[in-house]
């Protein structure tokens, strides 16, 4: 009998134009389009999926720990398995085993790579022949930003207009070969789990921030400008938008009531150090951006990586600096890389 199993890997993405707020909570439809760079496999999630009649219920392990599928947020994210199972007309339970190469829920976008790897592996295990765009629509319903990790290169998540979400999907705007020297220098200032999860944080912003309406218009026009800068290979143009986007998103977080703070003193020092670096170089060579956490992502070109690392050296509180390149999107892995012991129907020890 052919085994309904597959293993896949996907990487996080770092948003240049940010997603922060849903117009539809159930289908995960955003207020504005967003744009990101998919990272290479120096940061990744590997996920193995196996469907079997012998399983009594769904089971989900991340980094060796079994997840509580009765937990609302976990169940919502795991919902992508149900969507794909219905598409395949399969009634079997799933065993999912996943491993992140970086800290979970610390602002390094583990939900994006995790959901992208889960959707990719599940579709393969179920034998579904789906295009990346269709996979992005499924991934979006598990975790919004994950739809952008279904492609490599620089990727846009179109907000769409339809109520059913069929026009809210990811598409690639530049391949990794068009921007091969783009890198993300990540300065880790904290590996703690975030206090306010993105899902509830963005809901609070939509409900209470007076500035949020202005943000959605600003972000949509930034997405248009970003496409032009990406296509014309205008790094300085891109970098300016990246920094303003991060600042604008963190401004509406502060304008949320009660306010949400993700940045810490080291994050703010990093922002100053990057402005100082750009000033001393006489042109914009690097851009900072922060997600729902204090860790900095400095976007630069490979030729300026050393200058960025040197600028970061002056900042207090940086625990580690690592560089990720631009990635090529999710891939299936051979059976020998499976994280599942198919005999025991358990994670491999
Ligand atoms: C982004 N973030 O565009 C933004 C920037 C965090 C800050 O997408 O509720 O885990 O699962 O759709 O995708 C994080 O939010 O939220 C995020 P859900 P998600 O990358």
């Amino acid at each position: 009998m052919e085994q309904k199993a597959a293993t896949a890997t996907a990487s996080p993405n770092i948003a240049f134009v940010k997603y922060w707020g849903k117009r539809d909570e159930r289908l995960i439809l955003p207020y504005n389009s967003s744009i990101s760079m998919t990272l290479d496999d120096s940061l990744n999630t590997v996920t193995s999926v196996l469907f079997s009649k012998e399983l009594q219920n769904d089971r989900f392990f991340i980094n060796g720990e079994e997840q509580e599928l009765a937990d609302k947020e976990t169940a919502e994210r795991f919902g992508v398995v149900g969507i794909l199972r219905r598409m395949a007309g399969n009634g079997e339970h799933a065993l999912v085993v996943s491993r992140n190469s970086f800290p979970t829920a610390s602002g390094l976008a583990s939900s994006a790579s995790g959901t992208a790897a889960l959707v990719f592996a599940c579709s393969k295990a179920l034998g579904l022949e789906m295009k990346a765009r269709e996979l992005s629509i499924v991934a979006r319903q598990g975790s919004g930003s994950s739809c952008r990790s279904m492609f490599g290169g620089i990727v846009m998540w179109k907000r769409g207009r339809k109520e059913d979400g069929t026009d809210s999907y990811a598409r690639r705007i530049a391949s990794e070969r068009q921007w091969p020297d783009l890198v993300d220098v990540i300065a880790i200032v904290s590996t703690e789990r975030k206090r306010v999860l993105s899902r509830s944080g963005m809901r609070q912003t939509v409900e209470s921030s007076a500035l949020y309406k202005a943000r959605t218009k600003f972000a949509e026009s930034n997405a248009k400008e970003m496409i032009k800068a990406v296509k014309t290979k205008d790094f300085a143009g891109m970098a300016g938008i990246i920094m303003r986007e991060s600042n604008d998103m963190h401004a509406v977080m502060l304008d949320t009531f009660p306010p949400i703070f993700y940045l810490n003193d080291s994050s703010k020092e990093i922002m100053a150090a990057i402005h100082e670096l750009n000033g001393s170089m006489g042109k914009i060579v690097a851009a900072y951006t922060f997600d729902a956490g204090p860790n900095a992502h400095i976007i630069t070109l490979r030729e300026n990586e050393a200058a960025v690392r040197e600028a970061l050296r002056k900042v207090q509180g940086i625990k580690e600096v690592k560089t990720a390149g631009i990635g090529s999107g999710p891939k299936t892995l051979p059976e020998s890389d499976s994280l599942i012991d198919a005999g025991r129907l358990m994670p491999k020890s």
Side-chain angles (χ1 to χ4, degrees), residues 24-197:
D24 184 313
E25 296 264 339
R26 189 180 61 85
L27 289 172
I28 308 197
L29 300 174
Y31 269 108
N32 60 266
S33 303
S34 52
I35 295 178
S36 57
M37 157 185 167
T38 298
L39 303 183
D40 66 16
D41 57 10
S42 44
L43 293 170
N44 70 7
T45 301
V46 174
T47 299
S48 295
V49 180
L50 183 146
F51 290 90
S52 169
K53 287 191 181 60
E54 288 163 44
L55 287 162
Q56 304 306 312
N57 44 290
D58 288 333
R59 297 188 76 180
F60 184 20
F61 294 81
I62 301 179
N63 294 344
E65 261 179 54
E66 181 148 22
Q67 306 296 299
E68 193 48 75
L69 283 169
D71 172 74
K72 188 170 173 279
E73 177 135 352
T74 310
E76 282 170 4
R77 293 192 190 279
F78 200 79
V80 293
V81 176
I83 295 174
L84 292 165
R85 202 159 28 200
R86 280 193 296 282
M87 288 171 84
N90 178 297
E92 293 164 4
H93 289 296
L95 169 62
V96 176
V97 182
S98 191
R99 198 155 58 205
N100 291 321
S101 71
F102 53 91
T104 304
S106 62
L108 291 184
S110 55
S111 75
S113 57
T115 307
L118 175 60
V119 167
F120 203 73
C122 259
S123 71
K124 298 287 171 200
L126 292 166
L128 290 165
E129 305 266 338
M130 293 168 72
K131 296 206 172 78
R133 176 179 289 189
E134 296 171 286
L135 290 170
S136 82
I137 290 179
V138 177
R140 189 202 76 218
Q141 296 172 69
S143 179
S145 55
S146 73
C147 73
R148 300 186 310 239
S149 276
M150 296 308 312
F151 291 86
I154 300 178
V155 184
M156 178 178 191
W157 173 13
K158 263 179 31 135
R159 83 184 281 288
R161 299 269 160 201
K162 294 186 184 167
E163 276 182 22
D164 66 2
T166 50
D167 60 350
S168 185
Y169 50 76
R171 70 180 175 86
R172 196 168 66 171
I173 56 175
S175 90
E176 61 282 11
R177 285 177 299 279
Q178 287 166 275
W179 278 95
D181 46 358
L182 202 56
V183 294
D184 177 6
V185 181
I186 305 166
I188 298 182
V189 299
S190 167
T191 51
E192 276 172 37
R193 290 180 82 88
K194 40 192 160 188
R195 274 167 295 171
V196 180
L197 291 171

Side-chain angles (χ1 to χ4, degrees), residues 13 15 17-20 22 28 34 77 111 140 142-146 148 198-199 202 249 253 290-292:
N13 60 75
V17 174
K18 306 289 191 188
Y19 150 56
W20 192 255
K22 300 174 180 68
I28 308 197
S34 52
R77 293 192 190 279
S111 75
R140 189 202 76 218
S143 179
S145 55
S146 73
R148 300 186 310 239
S198 307
R199 187 157 292 187
M202 63 176 84
M249 180 184 72
M253 288 165 167
F290 299 83
D291 282 344

Side-chain angles (χ1 to χ4, degrees), residues 163-348:
E163 276 182 22
D164 66 2
T166 50
D167 60 350
S168 185
Y169 50 76
R171 70 180 175 86
R172 196 168 66 171
I173 56 175
S175 90
E176 61 282 11
R177 285 177 299 279
Q178 287 166 275
W179 278 95
D181 46 358
L182 202 56
V183 294
D184 177 6
V185 181
I186 305 166
I188 298 182
V189 299
S190 167
T191 51
E192 276 172 37
R193 290 180 82 88
K194 40 192 160 188
R195 274 167 295 171
V196 180
L197 291 171
S198 307
R199 187 157 292 187
S200 56
M202 63 176 84
R203 184 182 307 130
Q204 290 163 33
T205 301
V206 170
E207 283 168 3
S208 67
S209 165
L211 303 181
Y212 186 67
K213 264 211 168 76
R215 151 116 198 104
T216 57
K217 285 204 188 96
F218 183 58
E220 208 55 49
S221 77
N222 282 338
K224 290 199 177 81
E225 292 302 313
M226 179 63 75
I227 293 173
K228 278 188 220 157
V230 167
K231 297 212 160 151
T232 56
K233 292 213 73 172
D234 170 10
F235 179 81
M238 258 169 64
I241 301 170
I242 291 171
M243 291 188 278
R244 285 169 175 272
E245 261 295 312
S246 174
N247 294 347
D248 195 65
M249 180 184 72
H250 287 276
V252 296
M253 288 165 167
L254 178 63
D255 188 49
T256 301
F257 199 78
I260 304 168
F261 306 96
Y262 287 114
L263 306 181
N264 67 19
D265 287 346
S266 299
S267 320
K268 292 173 199 164
E269 268 192 58
I270 292 170
M271 292 160 74
I274 297 303
H275 282 294
E276 201 179 303
L277 171 68
N278 289 332
S280 71
M281 302 282 270
K283 61 175 181 173
I284 302 184
V285 297
Y288 53 77
T289 185
F290 299 83
D291 282 344
N295 296 318
H297 295 258
I298 314 297
I299 309 303
T300 190
L301 297 172
R302 190 71 75 178
E303 66 199 35
N304 294 314
E305 183 192 343
V308 167
R309 283 181 175 259
E310 187 55 37
L312 291 175
R313 229 196 270 269
K314 293 171 221 148
V315 178
Q316 304 279 317
I318 297 181
K319 296 184 166 46
E320 193 187 344
V321 178
K322 51 174 136 198
T323 301
I326 188 164
S328 54
K331 282 182 227 18
T332 44
L333 294 176
E335 208 186 313
S336 54
D337 287 338
S338 174
L339 304 175
I340 292 177
D341 178 337
R344 291 191 305 128
L345 292 178
M346 282 297 286
K348 275 184 187 161

